[in-house]
Amino acid sequence: MKNLYRRSKAIVLLFVCAEALAIAPEAEFANGGMVASRSRLASEVGAQILEDGGNAVDAAVAVGFALAVTYPSAGNLGGGGFMVIRMADGTLAANDHRERAPLGATRDMYLDKDGNVVPRLSTHSHLAVGVPGSVAGLLDVLEKYGTKSRREVIAPAIRLAADGFALDRDLSRSFARRLDDFAPYAASMAVFSRNGQPFLQGERFRQPDLAAVLKRISKSGRAGFYEGRTADLLVAEMVRGGGLITHEDLTGYESAWREPIVGRYRGHEIISMPPPSSGGVLVVQMLNMLEAYDIGAMGFSSAEAVHHVIEAERRAYADRAEHLGDPDFFPVPVSTLISKEYARKRFDDFNPDEASRSEDIAPGSAPPESPDTTHASVIDKYGNAVSYTTTLNLSYGSKIVAAGTGVLLNNEMDDFSAKPDTPNFYGLLGREANAIEPGKRMLSSMTPTIVARDGQALLVTGSPGGSTIITTTLQVIMNVIDHGMDLSDAVSSPRFHHQWQPDRVVYEARGLSPDTLDRLRGLGHENFVVMPFGRGIGDANSVMRVDGGFAGMADPRNAGAAAGPHHATRKGLK
Ligand code: GLY
């Protein structure tokens, strides 16, 4: 009896503890802020900046520079990204540091004389490289919303590049897998192999050239990258390999401040990235279509809920192909696309009992290899939140390191529509809105997003994964809002994806049960593609405000980590 009493007391205590933390055990918890990213070292850099009194913007910028060193397949100086910010006072901002087409780019630059797309030219060549934006963007964001000096936020990245760090299993295997791709480029082999042989797990990985570039940026700001020695080396690489980027392209690069996309969903504010991202528009558009339905009551992963979401995705991605592009070059009808009224009309033909066919879904009329990108989420104890997604496009971008810089160059030009209605690497279609023009930014799916409730940032999320970025972000948001999940479950739960064309549902192994699949087939969904075990959709490193502090969840599909400072406090103790 005594034993039974003791055991039930222990069980009650367990529940009480879980209730008090309000997070599942796998999420990190801290009360001084939180950082989640794909790299443990980068998350720790951000956590240290928060510990030292920096705000979420300082931490996010430090994480951005650190990721270029510790997660080189997507973290970068030679690529681009988007950062969405919500300051504690409610100020919203979106920084667009997406790459731009070089001034020498032309509409048909990836077509042969017969008008066909030349395979790999927009992904594996010096012509694939867009003018990098990350350095300009990170520095602009720091200057406007940060509190720490450039030197302070870049110092950890310099240290990691100069002193090196022990390669873990994840990174050593990633380099080894790519050696054949690096082989044509001596400078890439010099960075990512040891004299042509794969690095071993546990070996120290030093990047002295990259450290030198980071030092120049720390000392001279954007001139340390877009001018002087770094610029000379970048342009020399272009000349050597037949690329287009010139000194004029580099000095002319500016990040852009954009009006964030703001939508409302079941009492929450959804703050996300506007064009040239398609992510924010599509997430809000899909949530608007779904708001009229009680998705929560249908149940997570039920055939009914999955059917509703697929049909919203189908329509939103059809609109993407027609209407989304760089707003500086093409009139993107943003306010229409994210309006409740448009969503109501667009979903008018939705049939709860029958799947549509993508060939019958035209874009709505509105007035005028492995994918790799990476996402980091940051929240600080003051209530500032930053959602940051950055990319080289495919894993390690073009695989070309600009000799003498240690900087990997992106292959973002593939995100343009090389030819109308011809799929890019992700199978995405595009038309006039996303045609190549000199100086234009290519359309992106990156969806850094902040969800706020009651005047406070609640959830910070986003993901890599090319076209699946948008649907991953959508599902994390819906898992929290519709299905009432804690952060750990919201990030971990299986995901699925539909993008209009090709007309098929992609889902994670074990994500849809056999009887759910049967029911979906019964509704008329015909094509299903299951991801192999161990290969997931997205990598949604996210943070969330919880009772007494912050939860951080690195997506368990990959080897990221969450970290945050923890301060002794009596608050919350009973
Ligand atoms: N390169 C992937 C994206 O921006 O969507």
Side-chain angles (χ1 to χ4, degrees):
M1 186 65 196
K2 217 170 163 188
N3 263 350
L4 187 66
Y5 171 75
R6 252 195 236 124
R7 215 178 308 145
S8 48
K9 201 172 149 194
I11 290 168
V12 169
L13 258 176
L14 232 166
F15 278 116
V16 169
C17 290
E19 173 69 33
L21 292 176
I23 51 171
E26 11 357 348
E28 291 294 325
F29 174 82
N31 62 7
M34 183 60 75
V35 181
S37 85
R38 177 64 172 80
S39 154
R40 173 173 295 283
L41 290 167
S43 293
E44 285 170 1
V45 163
Q48 188 61 50
I49 295 273
L50 295 179
E51 174 84 54
D52 295 344
N55 69 10
V57 174
D58 299 319
V61 172
V63 168
F65 281 111
L67 282 169
V69 180
T70 63
Y71 186 60
S73 67
N76 65 82
L77 302 183
F82 298 137
M83 198 177 273
V84 171
I85 299 168
R86 185 186 189 281
M87 300 301 283
D89 66 3
T91 302
L92 303 181
N95 184 269
D96 162 10
H97 44 275
R98 183 75 163 160
E99 301 91 328
R100 298 173 70 176
L103 294 172
T106 54
R107 191 184 180 91
D108 296 338
M109 62 189 277
Y110 300 118
L111 305 186
D112 64 18
K113 61 177 181 10
D114 299 322
N116 299 317
V117 175
V118 181
R120 291 170 64 92
L121 204 54
S122 64
T123 53
H124 292 72
S125 82
H126 286 71
L127 284 177
V129 187
V131 183
S134 292
V135 173
L138 291 174
L139 295 179
D140 288 348
V141 165
L142 181 72
E143 193 176 316
K144 192 151 181 193
Y145 292 104
T147 63
K148 297 239 170 222
S149 68
R150 191 165 70 219
R151 193 186 52 74
E152 286 171 296
V153 298
I154 301 179
I158 295 175
R159 184 174 32 77
L160 285 161
D163 299 351
F165 55 92
L167 284 175
D168 60 15
R169 174 173 175 267
D170 180 45
L171 219 46
S172 54
R173 285 165 60 137
S174 169
F175 293 174
R177 265 200 309 273
R178 293 285 167 200
L179 275 198
D180 285 350
D181 288 329
F182 293 134
Y185 311 109
S188 306
M189 285 302 272
V191 174
F192 295 109
S193 74
R194 181 166 304 291
N195 304 322
Q197 295 306 308
F199 277 111
L200 302 178
Q201 181 180 341
E203 265 191 274
R204 208 155 188 84
F205 176 53
R206 292 189 177 83
Q207 300 170 83
D209 288 342
L210 191 61
V213 172
L214 285 162
K215 278 182 198 159
R216 290 200 279 274
I217 299 168
S218 175
K219 183 163 174 264
S220 312
R222 57 169 287 142
F225 186 84
Y226 294 96
E227 295 170 38
R229 178 153 176 75
T230 313
D232 289 345
L233 290 166
L234 292 172
V235 171
E237 182 64 46
M238 288 291 118
V239 171
R240 195 167 30 253
L244 295 179
I245 296 172
T246 61
H247 279 289
E248 191 186 356
D249 284 310
L250 292 172
T251 50
Y253 186 89
E254 301 279 354
S255 85
W257 290 99
R258 311 260 182 210
E259 191 75 26
I261 296 290
V262 180
R264 294 203 70 77
Y265 184 63
R266 304 194 204 282
H268 295 73
E269 200 174 35
I270 313 294
I271 304 145
S272 194
M273 191 69 205
S277 171
S278 56
V281 168
L282 263 68
V283 162
V284 168
Q285 189 183 348
M286 290 187 284
L287 291 173
N288 284 344
M289 290 187 219
L290 295 167
E291 198 174 29
Y293 304 88
D294 193 348
I295 304 287
M298 294 173 197
F300 175 76
S301 205
S302 65
E304 201 182 0
V306 172
H307 173 58
H308 280 69
V309 174
I310 290 171
E311 293 301 325
E313 291 174 351
R314 193 193 304 278
R315 286 158 179 79
Y317 275 81
D319 283 2
R320 181 191 194 278
E322 181 73 21
H323 296 299
L324 274 292
D326 182 346
D328 296 340
F329 285 74
F330 187 87
V332 183
V334 171
S335 53
T336 301
L337 292 173
I338 65 169
S339 72
K340 299 272 183 203
E341 176 60 14
Y342 177 79
R344 200 183 49 70
K345 283 199 208 127
R346 192 78 178 94
F347 218 45
D348 218 27
D349 61 349
F350 166 70
N351 183 344
D353 301 319
E354 193 177 356
S356 330
R357 286 179 188 287
S358 288
E359 63 196 38
D360 300 333
I361 299 284
S365 70
E369 130 205 19
S370 73
D372 218 340
T373 294
T374 195
H375 179 79
S377 299
V378 185
I379 191 161
D380 67 26
K381 63 182 177 192
Y382 314 109
N384 306 304
V386 179
S387 192
Y388 172 52
T389 315
T390 188
T391 188
L392 291 163
N393 193 24
L394 304 187
S395 200
Y396 301 94
S398 62
K399 316 330 183 237
I400 301 167
V401 166
T405 68
V407 172
L408 261 169
L409 299 171
N410 67 81
N411 57 358
E412 219 73 60
M413 291 293 285
D414 188 62
D415 274 348
F416 276 119
S417 173
K419 185 181 173 184
D421 287 335
T422 304
N424 73 353
F425 178 85
Y426 303 106
L428 288 166
L429 304 183
R431 295 175 189 160
E432 188 59 35
N434 192 31
I436 304 171
E437 291 179 62
K440 188 176 179 181
R441 289 170 158 96
M442 53 297 283
L443 183 60
S444 172
S445 297
M446 292 189 287
T447 314
T449 300
I450 299 169
V451 177
R453 194 181 59 198
D454 304 329
Q456 282 190 321
L458 171 71
L459 169 71
V460 185
T461 190
S463 178
S467 56
T468 67
I469 292 173
I470 307 170
T471 50
T472 295
T473 307
L474 174 79
Q475 286 167 86
V476 174
I477 294 170
M478 293 183 74
N479 285 348
V480 169
I481 299 179
D482 289 290
H483 300 298
M485 291 186 194
D486 64 21
L487 185 66
S488 156
D489 288 345
V491 169
S492 317
S493 293
R495 297 195 267 258
F496 60 91
H497 171 77
H498 194 292
Q499 61 180 49
W500 176 52
Q501 297 285 9
D503 189 350
R504 62 183 192 197
V505 183
V506 181
Y507 67 100
E508 292 182 326
R510 298 202 189 96
L512 297 176
S513 67
D515 47 347
T516 302
L517 286 168
D518 277 351
R519 288 210 51 207
L520 287 168
R521 283 195 188 94
L523 290 168
H525 296 281
E526 284 172 358
N527 300 316
F528 293 89
V529 176
V530 61
M531 302 287 289
F533 282 103
R535 283 207 45 212
I537 297 176
D539 185 33
N541 304 307
S542 307
V543 303
M544 188 164 155
R545 181 186 293 280
V546 295
D547 191 19
F550 308 96
M553 187 68 193
D555 199 315
R557 289 164 182 80
N558 290 299
H566 207 84
H567 303 298
T569 172
R570 294 197 171 279
K571 216 174 132 201
L573 293 179
K574 296 246 161 49

